[in-house]
Amino acid sequence: MQQSIEAVNLTKKYGSFVALSGLNLKFEGAKCVGFLGPNGAGKTTTLKLFTDMIRPSAGHALINGIDVHENKRDALSSCTALIETPEIYPSLTPAEALSMIAEIRGVSSNERNIRIEESLNEVKMLEWKDKKVGKFSKGMKQRVNIASVLISDPSIIMLDEPTTGLDPRGMSEVREIVKSLKRKNRLIFMSSHLLNEVTDVCDEVAMIDHGKLLVYDSILNVIQKFSENGSNIIEVGFSRAIDENIMEKIGKLENVKATSKIDETNLRMEILGDIKVQEALFYELANMKIGVISFKPSSSALESTYLNMIKETL
Amino acid sequence: MPNRVPSSIRQAFTVTKFELLNYVRSRRFIIMLGIGIIVGALLTLLVGHYRPSGFLASSIDFYSSWWGISATYIVILSGIFFGGDAISGEFQNKTGYFIVGNPIRRSSIYAGKWLAAFVASFIVLIVFLGITVLNNFYYFGLNLPYQFLESFLFTLLYLISVLGLTFFFSSLFKSSSVAILTTVVLMLFAFSLIQELIDAFVHVEPWFLITYGAGIIGNILTVPYPSHILTTHFGHVVVTSYAVTVPEGIAILVAYFAVTVILGLVLFERKEFN
């Protein structure tokens, strides 16, 4: 059975304030779903409902088909979550804090130390494993928190703005960790404010505002469907400097509406068409042997789509 | 292969293990242990220097004056130090976010933390007990009256009740300082004051106060056991004092624990991390 996260009419009210309104969503299989929305949109509320940190006013939060509120132990047995920026008992070391989570999750004693070392190594905290957490910076604590999510080798991971508190290098490392998790057949549900992060890491995106789901689809489809003229923006990276000849050749390709240089080795392409068109274009570019090394939806395209959608709900 | 989540009881013991590790390395544990040692050292010096007859009349009088008075304060302070913010701190300091999102029942977390607070308090109490017994050995030789063993067991029961109460207040409030302050005011001042006033002037037995129930700790060390009701006339004014009986004291302490631990757990189960 594929791993799944499902919200069925999930609602959370605080008095008359509706934090989440009848959310219906289902993610299945190994992929990374970005969860976007402005502050107060209901992102963290949703993730807290999926970890039973808060109770739903109506509806159900299901993990692998099990209601989290009714059977938390089974529902969360193969799912880990990092919600906000947790604090760890200050007198514990990262190794001890992770050992506690590993024991609670039933990681066998002979595997525990290996997993702790692997997780800490992955977040570049291995050399700090025996130092007390109380003396750590916010960024270091967040790295240990991320390690705690990896410790039990879960099939589902929920991350609530995981790069919060990290410096640019830390943010980049976390993105790489998330990408590597994706390669290990996990379902990742990640909320973020950072659109370039979502574009870089996620396959699909769910946008939420005022507690309501606006859209859920692949990033490319969302950009295409909701961009002002139905076009997609793709950023193409080259291994060498782009000359006018290359620009002209690309500009003449079918479904390419416009091209512009971002810098010496990157260009932006405005294209018309769905994912099949993009696949064909990618194939053509590769066949042109002009040094294409990357081909991805532009984060600025997602940003303009996001802003358009949020504007509509104001 | 997926991990098999351990039983709730085993998870509670895991929480106890790491919570206790956090306690024994914390400043508060060192301070509380220090308080126990300082109180013991001061009593040792004062009794050794002044040789008060109330202390040194007999072994049982020694325990009555020393343990009967000090142990209840050690228990209350331990309850405040280790239980005051045990639950509220999980919300205020966000430590709860690290553990609650895992496949563990909140009751396991509550029980694990309660047990850790009990063990930490027990260590402090044992150190104070050691100082007490060593002093008694010095003055009276190897003499351990059975009443003292009873008093020690009642002290443990009082500790269980006090921790039940402090955990309840800790679950009631999200702010650690409010939870601690409420416990301090009630346990150190309000309960004693209410007990004195009701005892003396309303002439009603204060069976509903935990501090009244704790009276068995000192009373058992008084030979013969004090009268249940003592009425004294000062002219037209009648002052009544009550001495809690052993069954009554045990019932009060057990009831306090049972009620507060259930209410505290219900509150913790219902409280949201927002």
Side-chain angles (χ1 to χ4, degrees), chain B residues 118-166:
Chain B
F118 177 79
V119 175
S121 306
F122 184 75
I123 294 169
V124 174
L125 207 56
I126 285 292
V127 170
F128 186 68
L129 177 92
I131 297 170
T132 309
V133 171
L134 283 175
N135 270 276
N136 187 271
F137 281 178
Y138 176 75
Y139 293 110
F140 301 101
L142 288 170
N143 183 13
L144 205 60
Y146 73 92
Q147 292 96 330
F148 179 63
L149 294 177
E150 286 178 322
S151 179
F152 178 65
L153 290 177
F154 294 156
T155 308
L156 289 184
L157 184 58
Y158 186 44
L159 175 62
I160 288 167
S161 300
V162 166
L163 284 173
L165 191 65
T166 53

CSV table of all heavy atoms in Angstrom, one decimal, chain B residues 118-166:
chain,number,residue,atom,x,y,z
B,118,PHE,N,9.0,12.4,40.8
B,118,PHE,CA,8.9,11.6,42.1
B,118,PHE,C,10.3,11.1,42.4
B,118,PHE,O,10.8,11.3,43.5
B,118,PHE,CB,7.9,10.5,42.0
B,118,PHE,CG,7.9,9.6,43.2
B,118,PHE,CD1,7.2,10.0,44.3
B,118,PHE,CD2,8.6,8.4,43.2
B,118,PHE,CE1,7.2,9.2,45.5
B,118,PHE,CE2,8.6,7.6,44.4
B,118,PHE,CZ,7.9,8.1,45.5
B,119,VAL,N,11.0,10.6,41.4
B,119,VAL,CA,12.4,10.0,41.7
B,119,VAL,C,13.3,11.1,42.1
B,119,VAL,O,14.1,11.0,43.1
B,119,VAL,CB,12.9,9.2,40.5
B,119,VAL,CG1,14.3,8.7,40.7
B,119,VAL,CG2,12.0,8.0,40.2
B,120,ALA,N,13.3,12.3,41.4
B,120,ALA,CA,14.2,13.4,41.7
B,120,ALA,C,13.9,13.9,43.2
B,120,ALA,O,14.8,14.1,44.0
B,120,ALA,CB,14.0,14.5,40.7
B,121,SER,N,12.6,14.0,43.5
B,121,SER,CA,12.2,14.4,44.9
B,121,SER,C,12.7,13.4,45.9
B,121,SER,O,13.1,13.7,47.0
B,121,SER,CB,10.7,14.6,45.0
B,121,SER,OG,10.3,15.5,44.0
B,122,PHE,N,12.5,12.1,45.5
B,122,PHE,CA,12.9,11.0,46.4
B,122,PHE,C,14.4,11.1,46.8
B,122,PHE,O,14.7,10.8,47.9
B,122,PHE,CB,12.5,9.7,45.8
B,122,PHE,CG,12.7,8.5,46.6
B,122,PHE,CD1,11.9,8.2,47.7
B,122,PHE,CD2,13.8,7.6,46.4
B,122,PHE,CE1,12.1,7.0,48.4
B,122,PHE,CE2,14.0,6.5,47.2
B,122,PHE,CZ,13.1,6.2,48.2
B,123,ILE,N,15.2,11.4,45.8
B,123,ILE,CA,16.6,11.4,46.0
B,123,ILE,C,16.9,12.5,47.0
B,123,ILE,O,17.7,12.3,48.0
B,123,ILE,CB,17.4,11.7,44.7
B,123,ILE,CG1,17.2,10.5,43.7
B,123,ILE,CG2,18.9,12.0,44.9
B,123,ILE,CD1,17.7,10.8,42.3
B,124,VAL,N,16.3,13.7,46.9
B,124,VAL,CA,16.5,14.8,47.8
B,124,VAL,C,16.0,14.3,49.2
B,124,VAL,O,16.7,14.6,50.2
B,124,VAL,CB,15.7,16.0,47.4
B,124,VAL,CG1,15.7,17.1,48.4
B,124,VAL,CG2,16.2,16.5,46.0
B,125,LEU,N,14.9,13.7,49.3
B,125,LEU,CA,14.3,13.3,50.6
B,125,LEU,C,15.2,12.2,51.2
B,125,LEU,O,15.4,12.3,52.5
B,125,LEU,CB,12.9,12.7,50.3
B,125,LEU,CG,11.9,12.7,51.4
B,125,LEU,CD1,11.7,14.1,51.9
B,125,LEU,CD2,10.6,12.1,51.0
B,126,ILE,N,15.8,11.3,50.4
B,126,ILE,CA,16.7,10.3,51.0
B,126,ILE,C,18.0,10.9,51.6
B,126,ILE,O,18.5,10.5,52.6
B,126,ILE,CB,17.0,9.3,49.9
B,126,ILE,CG1,15.8,8.4,49.6
B,126,ILE,CG2,18.3,8.5,50.2
B,126,ILE,CD1,15.5,7.4,50.7
B,127,VAL,N,18.5,12.0,50.9
B,127,VAL,CA,19.7,12.7,51.4
B,127,VAL,C,19.3,13.3,52.8
B,127,VAL,O,20.1,13.2,53.7
B,127,VAL,CB,20.2,13.7,50.4
B,127,VAL,CG1,21.2,14.6,51.0
B,127,VAL,CG2,20.7,13.0,49.1
B,128,PHE,N,18.2,13.9,52.8
B,128,PHE,CA,17.8,14.6,54.1
B,128,PHE,C,17.5,13.5,55.2
B,128,PHE,O,17.9,13.7,56.3
B,128,PHE,CB,16.5,15.4,53.9
B,128,PHE,CG,16.1,16.2,55.1
B,128,PHE,CD1,16.9,17.2,55.6
B,128,PHE,CD2,14.9,15.9,55.8
B,128,PHE,CE1,16.5,18.0,56.7
B,128,PHE,CE2,14.6,16.6,56.9
B,128,PHE,CZ,15.4,17.6,57.4
B,129,LEU,N,16.9,12.4,54.7
B,129,LEU,CA,16.7,11.3,55.7
B,129,LEU,C,18.0,10.8,56.2
B,129,LEU,O,18.2,10.5,57.4
B,129,LEU,CB,16.0,10.1,54.9
B,129,LEU,CG,15.8,8.9,55.7
B,129,LEU,CD1,14.4,8.9,56.4
B,129,LEU,CD2,15.8,7.6,54.9
B,130,GLY,N,19.0,10.7,55.3
B,130,GLY,CA,20.4,10.2,55.8
B,130,GLY,C,21.0,11.1,56.8
B,130,GLY,O,21.5,10.6,57.9
B,131,ILE,N,20.8,12.4,56.6
B,131,ILE,CA,21.4,13.4,57.6
B,131,ILE,C,20.6,13.2,58.9
B,131,ILE,O,21.3,13.2,60.0
B,131,ILE,CB,21.3,14.8,57.1
B,131,ILE,CG1,22.1,15.0,55.8
B,131,ILE,CG2,21.7,15.8,58.1
B,131,ILE,CD1,21.9,16.3,55.1
B,132,THR,N,19.3,13.0,58.8
B,132,THR,CA,18.5,12.9,60.1
B,132,THR,C,18.9,11.6,60.8
B,132,THR,O,19.1,11.7,62.0
B,132,THR,CB,17.0,12.8,59.6
B,132,THR,OG1,16.7,13.9,58.8
B,132,THR,CG2,16.1,12.8,60.9
B,133,VAL,N,19.0,10.5,60.1
B,133,VAL,CA,19.3,9.2,60.8
B,133,VAL,C,20.7,9.2,61.4
B,133,VAL,O,20.9,8.8,62.5
B,133,VAL,CB,19.1,8.1,59.8
B,133,VAL,CG1,19.6,6.7,60.4
B,133,VAL,CG2,17.6,7.9,59.4
B,134,LEU,N,21.6,9.8,60.7
B,134,LEU,CA,23.0,9.9,61.2
B,134,LEU,C,23.1,10.7,62.5
B,134,LEU,O,23.8,10.3,63.4
B,134,LEU,CB,23.9,10.5,60.1
B,134,LEU,CG,24.3,9.5,59.0
B,134,LEU,CD1,25.2,10.3,57.9
B,134,LEU,CD2,25.1,8.3,59.5
B,135,ASN,N,22.4,11.8,62.5
B,135,ASN,CA,22.3,12.6,63.7
B,135,ASN,C,21.7,11.8,64.9
B,135,ASN,O,22.2,11.9,66.0
B,135,ASN,CB,21.5,13.9,63.5
B,135,ASN,CG,22.4,15.0,63.0
B,135,ASN,OD1,23.0,15.7,63.8
B,135,ASN,ND2,22.5,15.2,61.7
B,136,ASN,N,20.6,11.1,64.6
B,136,ASN,CA,20.0,10.3,65.6
B,136,ASN,C,20.9,9.2,66.1
B,136,ASN,O,21.0,9.0,67.3
B,136,ASN,CB,18.7,9.7,65.1
B,136,ASN,CG,17.9,9.0,66.1
B,136,ASN,OD1,18.1,7.8,66.4
B,136,ASN,ND2,17.0,9.8,66.8
B,137,PHE,N,21.7,8.6,65.2
B,137,PHE,CA,22.6,7.6,65.6
B,137,PHE,C,23.7,8.2,66.5
B,137,PHE,O,24.1,7.6,67.5
B,137,PHE,CB,23.3,6.9,64.4
B,137,PHE,CG,22.5,5.9,63.7
B,137,PHE,CD1,22.9,5.3,62.5
B,137,PHE,CD2,21.2,5.6,64.2
B,137,PHE,CE1,22.2,4.4,61.9
B,137,PHE,CE2,20.4,4.6,63.5
B,137,PHE,CZ,20.9,4.0,62.3
B,138,TYR,N,24.1,9.4,66.2
B,138,TYR,CA,25.1,10.0,67.0
B,138,TYR,C,24.7,10.3,68.5
B,138,TYR,O,25.4,10.0,69.4
B,138,TYR,CB,25.5,11.4,66.4
B,138,TYR,CG,26.5,12.2,67.2
B,138,TYR,CD1,27.8,11.9,67.2
B,138,TYR,CD2,26.0,13.3,67.9
B,138,TYR,CE1,28.7,12.6,68.0
B,138,TYR,CE2,26.9,14.1,68.7
B,138,TYR,CZ,28.3,13.7,68.7
B,138,TYR,OH,29.2,14.5,69.4
B,139,TYR,N,23.4,10.7,68.6
B,139,TYR,CA,22.9,11.0,70.0
B,139,TYR,C,22.3,9.7,70.7
B,139,TYR,O,22.4,9.6,71.9
B,139,TYR,CB,21.8,12.0,69.9
B,139,TYR,CG,22.3,13.4,69.5
B,139,TYR,CD1,22.0,13.9,68.2
B,139,TYR,CD2,23.2,14.1,70.3
B,139,TYR,CE1,22.5,15.1,67.8
B,139,TYR,CE2,23.7,15.3,69.9
B,139,TYR,CZ,23.4,15.8,68.7
B,139,TYR,OH,23.9,17.0,68.3
B,140,PHE,N,21.7,8.8,69.9
B,140,PHE,CA,21.0,7.7,70.6
B,140,PHE,C,21.5,6.3,70.1
B,140,PHE,O,20.8,5.3,70.5
B,140,PHE,CB,19.5,7.8,70.3
B,140,PHE,CG,18.9,9.1,70.8
B,140,PHE,CD1,18.7,10.2,69.9
B,140,PHE,CD2,18.6,9.3,72.2
B,140,PHE,CE1,18.2,11.4,70.4
B,140,PHE,CE2,18.1,10.6,72.6
B,140,PHE,CZ,17.9,11.6,71.7
B,141,GLY,N,22.5,6.3,69.4
B,141,GLY,CA,23.0,5.0,68.9
B,141,GLY,C,22.1,4.3,67.9
B,141,GLY,O,21.2,5.0,67.3
B,142,LEU,N,22.3,3.1,67.6
B,142,LEU,CA,21.5,2.4,66.6
B,142,LEU,C,20.1,2.2,67.0
B,142,LEU,O,19.7,1.1,67.6
B,142,LEU,CB,22.1,1.1,66.2
B,142,LEU,CG,23.5,1.2,65.4
B,142,LEU,CD1,24.1,-0.2,65.3
B,142,LEU,CD2,23.2,1.8,64.0
B,143,ASN,N,19.2,3.2,66.9
B,143,ASN,CA,17.9,3.1,67.4
B,143,ASN,C,16.9,3.7,66.3
B,143,ASN,O,17.0,4.9,66.1
B,143,ASN,CB,17.8,3.9,68.7
B,143,ASN,CG,16.4,3.8,69.3
B,143,ASN,OD1,15.6,3.0,68.9
B,143,ASN,ND2,16.2,4.7,70.3
B,144,LEU,N,16.1,2.9,65.7
B,144,LEU,CA,15.2,3.4,64.7
B,144,LEU,C,13.8,3.0,65.0
B,144,LEU,O,13.3,1.9,64.7
B,144,LEU,CB,15.6,2.7,63.3
B,144,LEU,CG,15.3,3.5,62.0
B,144,LEU,CD1,15.9,4.9,62.0
B,144,LEU,CD2,15.7,2.7,60.8
B,145,PRO,N,13.1,3.9,65.7
B,145,PRO,CA,11.7,3.5,66.2
B,145,PRO,C,10.8,3.2,65.0
B,145,PRO,O,11.0,3.9,63.9
B,145,PRO,CB,11.3,4.8,66.9
B,145,PRO,CG,12.3,5.7,66.9
B,145,PRO,CD,13.5,5.2,66.1
B,146,TYR,N,9.9,2.3,65.2
B,146,TYR,CA,9.0,1.9,64.0
B,146,TYR,C,8.1,3.1,63.6
B,146,TYR,O,7.7,3.2,62.5
B,146,TYR,CB,8.2,0.7,64.4
B,146,TYR,CG,7.0,1.0,65.4
B,146,TYR,CD1,5.8,1.4,64.9
B,146,TYR,CD2,7.3,0.9,66.8
B,146,TYR,CE1,4.8,1.6,65.8
B,146,TYR,CE2,6.3,1.2,67.6
B,146,TYR,CZ,5.0,1.6,67.2
B,146,TYR,OH,4.0,1.9,68.1
B,147,GLN,N,7.9,4.0,64.6
B,147,GLN,CA,7.0,5.2,64.2
B,147,GLN,C,7.7,6.1,63.2
B,147,GLN,O,7.1,6.7,62.3
B,147,GLN,CB,6.8,6.1,65.5
B,147,GLN,CG,5.9,5.5,66.5
B,147,GLN,CD,6.7,4.8,67.6
B,147,GLN,OE1,7.8,4.4,67.4
B,147,GLN,NE2,6.1,4.8,68.8
B,148,PHE,N,9.1,6.0,63.2
B,148,PHE,CA,9.8,6.8,62.2
B,148,PHE,C,9.7,6.2,60.8
B,148,PHE,O,9.5,6.9,59.9
B,148,PHE,CB,11.3,7.0,62.6
B,148,PHE,CG,12.1,7.8,61.6
B,148,PHE,CD1,11.8,9.1,61.4
B,148,PHE,CD2,13.1,7.2,60.8
B,148,PHE,CE1,12.4,9.8,60.4
B,148,PHE,CE2,13.8,7.9,59.9
B,148,PHE,CZ,13.4,9.2,59.6
B,149,LEU,N,9.7,4.9,60.8
B,149,LEU,CA,9.5,4.2,59.5
B,149,LEU,C,8.1,4.6,58.9
B,149,LEU,O,7.9,4.8,57.7
B,149,LEU,CB,9.7,2.7,59.6
B,149,LEU,CG,11.1,2.3,60.0
B,149,LEU,CD1,11.1,0.7,60.2
B,149,LEU,CD2,12.1,2.7,58.9
B,150,GLU,N,7.1,4.6,59.9
B,150,GLU,CA,5.7,4.9,59.4
B,150,GLU,C,5.7,6.4,58.9
B,150,GLU,O,5.1,6.7,57.9
B,150,GLU,CB,4.8,4.8,60.6
B,150,GLU,CG,4.5,3.3,60.9
B,150,GLU,CD,3.5,3.2,62.1
B,150,GLU,OE1,3.6,4.0,63.1
B,150,GLU,OE2,2.7,2.3,62.1
B,151,SER,N,6.4,7.2,59.7
B,151,SER,CA,6.4,8.6,59.3
B,151,SER,C,7.0,8.8,57.9
B,151,SER,O,6.6,9.6,57.1
B,151,SER,CB,7.2,9.4,60.4
B,151,SER,OG,7.2,10.8,60.0
B,152,PHE,N,8.1,8.0,57.7
B,152,PHE,CA,8.8,8.1,56.4
B,152,PHE,C,7.8,7.7,55.3
B,152,PHE,O,7.8,8.3,54.2
B,152,PHE,CB,10.0,7.3,56.4
B,152,PHE,CG,10.7,7.3,55.1
B,152,PHE,CD1,11.3,8.4,54.5
B,152,PHE,CD2,10.8,6.1,54.3
B,152,PHE,CE1,11.9,8.5,53.3
B,152,PHE,CE2,11.5,6.1,53.0
B,152,PHE,CZ,12.0,7.3,52.6
B,153,LEU,N,7.1,6.6,55.5
B,153,LEU,CA,6.1,6.1,54.5
B,153,LEU,C,5.0,7.2,54.3
B,153,LEU,O,4.6,7.4,53.1
B,153,LEU,CB,5.5,4.8,54.9
B,153,LEU,CG,6.4,3.6,54.9
B,153,LEU,CD1,5.7,2.4,55.4
B,153,LEU,CD2,7.0,3.3,53.5
B,154,PHE,N,4.6,7.8,55.4
B,154,PHE,CA,3.6,8.9,55.2
B,154,PHE,C,4.2,10.1,54.4
B,154,PHE,O,3.5,10.8,53.7
B,154,PHE,CB,3.1,9.4,56.6
B,154,PHE,CG,2.3,8.3,57.3
B,154,PHE,CD1,2.2,8.4,58.7
B,154,PHE,CD2,1.7,7.3,56.7
B,154,PHE,CE1,1.5,7.4,59.5
B,154,PHE,CE2,1.0,6.3,57.4
B,154,PHE,CZ,0.9,6.4,58.8
B,155,THR,N,5.4,10.3,54.6
B,155,THR,CA,6.1,11.4,53.9
B,155,THR,C,6.1,11.1,52.4
B,155,THR,O,5.9,12.0,51.6
B,155,THR,CB,7.6,11.6,54.4
B,155,THR,OG1,7.5,11.7,55.8
B,155,THR,CG2,8.2,12.9,53.8
B,156,LEU,N,6.4,9.9,52.1
B,156,LEU,CA,6.3,9.5,50.6
B,156,LEU,C,4.9,9.6,50.1
B,156,LEU,O,4.7,10.1,48.9
B,156,LEU,CB,6.8,8.0,50.5
B,156,LEU,CG,8.3,7.7,50.7
B,156,LEU,CD1,8.6,6.3,50.4
B,156,LEU,CD2,9.1,8.6,49.8
B,157,LEU,N,3.9,9.2,50.9
B,157,LEU,CA,2.5,9.4,50.4
B,157,LEU,C,2.2,10.9,50.2
B,157,LEU,O,1.6,11.3,49.2
B,157,LEU,CB,1.6,8.8,51.5
B,157,LEU,CG,0.1,8.8,51.1
B,157,LEU,CD1,-0.2,8.1,49.8
B,157,LEU,CD2,-0.7,8.2,52.2
B,158,TYR,N,2.7,11.7,51.1
B,158,TYR,CA,2.5,13.2,51.0
B,158,TYR,C,3.2,13.7,49.7
B,158,TYR,O,2.6,14.5,49.0
B,158,TYR,CB,3.1,13.9,52.2
B,158,TYR,CG,2.8,15.4,52.3
B,158,TYR,CD1,1.5,15.9,52.0
B,158,TYR,CD2,3.8,16.3,52.7
B,158,TYR,CE1,1.3,17.2,52.1
B,158,TYR,CE2,3.6,17.6,52.7
B,158,TYR,CZ,2.3,18.1,52.4
B,158,TYR,OH,2.1,19.4,52.5
B,159,LEU,N,4.4,13.2,49.5
B,159,LEU,CA,5.1,13.6,48.2
B,159,LEU,C,4.3,13.2,47.0
B,159,LEU,O,4.2,14.0,46.1
B,159,LEU,CB,6.5,12.9,48.2
B,159,LEU,CG,7.3,13.1,47.0
B,159,LEU,CD1,7.7,14.6,46.7
B,159,LEU,CD2,8.6,12.3,47.0
B,160,ILE,N,3.7,12.0,47.0
B,160,ILE,CA,2.9,11.6,45.9
B,160,ILE,C,1.7,12.5,45.7
B,160,ILE,O,1.4,12.9,44.6
B,160,ILE,CB,2.4,10.1,46.1
B,160,ILE,CG1,3.6,9.1,46.0
B,160,ILE,CG2,1.3,9.7,45.2
B,160,ILE,CD1,3.4,7.7,46.5
B,161,SER,N,1.1,12.9,46.8
B,161,SER,CA,-0.1,13.8,46.7
B,161,SER,C,0.3,15.2,46.2
B,161,SER,O,-0.3,15.8,45.4
B,161,SER,CB,-0.8,13.9,48.1
B,161,SER,OG,-1.2,12.7,48.5
B,162,VAL,N,1.4,15.7,46.8
B,162,VAL,CA,1.9,17.0,46.5
B,162,VAL,C,2.2,17.1,45.0
B,162,VAL,O,1.9,18.0,44.3
B,162,VAL,CB,3.1,17.4,47.3
B,162,VAL,CG1,3.8,18.7,46.8
B,162,VAL,CG2,2.6,17.7,48.8
B,163,LEU,N,2.9,16.0,44.5
B,163,LEU,CA,3.2,16.0,43.1
B,163,LEU,C,2.0,15.9,42.2
B,163,LEU,O,1.9,16.5,41.1
B,163,LEU,CB,4.2,14.9,42.7
B,163,LEU,CG,5.7,15.1,43.2
B,163,LEU,CD1,6.5,13.9,43.0
B,163,LEU,CD2,6.3,16.3,42.4
B,164,GLY,N,1.0,15.2,42.7
B,164,GLY,CA,-0.3,15.1,42.0
B,164,GLY,C,-0.9,16.5,41.8
B,164,GLY,O,-1.3,17.0,40.8
B,165,LEU,N,-0.8,17.3,43.0
B,165,LEU,CA,-1.4,18.6,43.0
B,165,LEU,C,-0.6,19.6,42.1
B,165,LEU,O,-1.1,20.4,41.4
B,165,LEU,CB,-1.4,19.1,44.4
B,165,LEU,CG,-2.2,20.4,44.7
B,165,LEU,CD1,-3.7,20.2,44.4
B,165,LEU,CD2,-2.0,20.9,46.2
B,166,THR,N,0.7,19.5,42.2
B,166,THR,CA,1.6,20.5,41.4
B,166,THR,C,1.4,20.2,39.9
B,166,THR,O,1.4,21.1,39.1
B,166,THR,CB,3.1,20.4,41.9
B,166,THR,OG1,3.5,19.1,41.8
B,166,THR,CG2,3.3,21.0,43.2
